[in-house]
Amino acid sequence: MEIDEKRTAEIFKAFCDENRVKILKLLLSGEKCACKLLEALNITQPTLSHHMKILCDSGIVVGRKEGKWMHYSISKEGAKTAKACLDALTDQRPDKGCGCC
């Protein structure tokens, strides 16, 4: 897998905040309305919107609008991409050597 540094940083940014990790944990049981996320998190609506934008921009979470509410869920494809990025960054290949000597 070719590592796109900018895209990889966007993905891992999604995991670098306690509230976003809490949101992901809430979404593990399935799709949730933004109103349910607000009830569970004790944050303001603008703060939730900020976190959801980062999660959606990363591709890990997808949202769909129903009436005036947004419903969010974990994207299987986005999670697969995040796992692939982590593997690409941490898969050591000692047989390749450093190439400098």
Side-chain angles (χ1 to χ4, degrees):
M1 171 183 179
E2 182 69 27
I3 298 173
D4 178 339
E5 292 86 1
K6 182 173 174 50
R7 180 77 182 117
T8 300
E10 287 176 347
I11 290 169
F12 287 106
K13 179 180 179 179
F15 295 107
C16 293
D17 181 272
E18 183 180 341
N19 284 315
R20 290 192 288 274
V21 172
K22 288 178 185 178
I23 291 166
L24 290 169
K25 286 174 62 178
L26 289 167
L27 295 177
L28 284 173
S29 61
E31 183 181 77
K32 299 280 184 298
C33 176
C35 62
K36 295 296 182 191
L37 296 173
L38 279 171
E39 288 174 12
L41 293 171
N42 193 31
I43 59 176
T44 65
Q45 190 279 324
T47 300
L48 178 65
S49 292
H50 168 75
H51 290 307
M52 297 317 296
K53 178 173 178 9
I54 292 169
L55 287 166
C56 289
D57 286 351
S58 75
I60 296 165
V61 170
V62 291
R64 68 174 183 84
K65 191 167 178 87
E66 186 176 298
K68 68 177 187 170
W69 290 105
M70 287 295 292
H71 295 259
Y72 297 99
S73 60
I74 294 175
S75 163
K76 289 184 186 206
E77 189 60 36
K80 184 178 171 183
T81 300
K83 288 176 188 176
C85 285
L86 181 60
D87 287 344
L89 287 170
T90 58
D91 183 22
Q92 296 180 12
R93 296 181 199 115
D95 59 311
K96 294 208 174 198
C98 69
C100 63
C101 42

